[in-house]
Amino acid sequence: MKKKSFGRLVLKGAAVVLLVLFIKEVVLYHTYLDFSQDYRQVDNYEGIVFKHEYKRTAYKRCFWGLKTTADVTADFSRNNDGGFDGETYKKLIAVIHDSGHLGSWAASPDGTKIVYSEGHVIDELEPTYIRYIDFKVLDLQDNSITLIFTAPAEETSLGLEWQ
């Protein structure tokens, strides 16, 4: 009798855990919610601006993810600090070595850091299917990388600017 009730308890517990993990995955996959506080370790993180190119809207990192900001004048014509021929890109690639899923990048005002976006795919056989996008900061002084935000896949158009 006890064996049967213990088995049911384990089954119910496993079902609850799977349900919670499923809900978490759905919410994080389709929203801007990101409760990580690692971005606060980056000097001048307040100057990082996320730009939605199509909506012409600027965002800043906050506790719950991103918030629209009106106190910033984002330059929507400026993108990727010199492009693929620019110094920022060359410095970035020298450290991360893989540019396959890079989206956008921008150097800090003092030139010691680079913020960049990197798409993650589910299946390398279909590399255009991006699952989510990580926004990271590379510190050029010690080559450390800090994850500052994860966005849903549909936000591949988020550009970056560091003011």
Side-chain angles (χ1 to χ4, degrees):
M1 186 84 168
K2 284 188 176 190
K3 210 175 206 182
K4 192 174 183 182
S5 62
F6 178 73
R8 285 185 181 174
L9 182 64
V10 168
L11 213 71
K12 286 180 182 178
V16 168
V17 167
L18 286 174
L19 181 64
V20 167
L21 289 174
F22 176 75
I23 290 170
K24 174 188 165 251
E25 185 68 21
V26 168
V27 168
L28 292 179
Y29 184 69
H30 294 288
T31 67
Y32 284 110
L33 293 177
D34 185 355
F35 297 112
S36 167
Q37 297 296 298
D38 292 344
Y39 69 96
R40 293 180 182 265
Q41 299 173 25
V42 176
D43 292 334
N44 190 26
Y45 73 87
E46 302 91 351
I48 298 172
V49 178
F50 299 82
K51 306 181 294 186
H52 196 290
E53 304 294 333
Y54 303 121
K55 294 180 182 176
R56 296 289 207 218
T57 306
Y59 304 92
K60 288 224 175 174
R61 182 71 168 91
C62 65
F63 175 75
W64 55 85
L66 292 181
K67 68 176 178 178
T68 306
T69 181
D71 64 340
V72 169
T73 305
D75 183 357
F76 290 99
S77 65
R78 180 177 149 214
N79 199 13
N80 292 343
D81 283 356
F84 295 106
D85 294 325
E87 287 300 313
T88 302
Y89 179 77
K90 291 175 184 173
K91 290 177 184 177
L92 180 61
I93 293 305
V95 175
I96 67 168
H97 305 295
D98 181 17
S99 63
H101 302 295
L102 280 180
S104 57
W105 54 87
S108 62
D110 64 1
T112 61
K113 296 174 188 61
I114 300 172
V115 61
Y116 66 98
S117 66
E118 179 179 45
H120 288 273
V121 297
I122 293 175
D123 184 2
E124 285 296 332
L125 295 175
E126 183 56 51
T128 60
Y129 186 71
I130 295 175
R131 172 103 168 109
Y132 59 90
I133 301 160
D134 281 339
F135 291 87
K136 300 175 181 181
V137 171
L138 167 64
D139 188 328
L140 294 171
Q141 295 170 336
D142 62 5
N143 290 344
S144 64
I145 297 174
T146 304
L147 177 67
I148 60 167
F149 181 65
T150 298
E154 58 266 9
E155 295 304 344
T156 56
S157 62
L158 280 178
L160 293 164
E161 188 174 324
W162 201 330
Q163 302 175 349

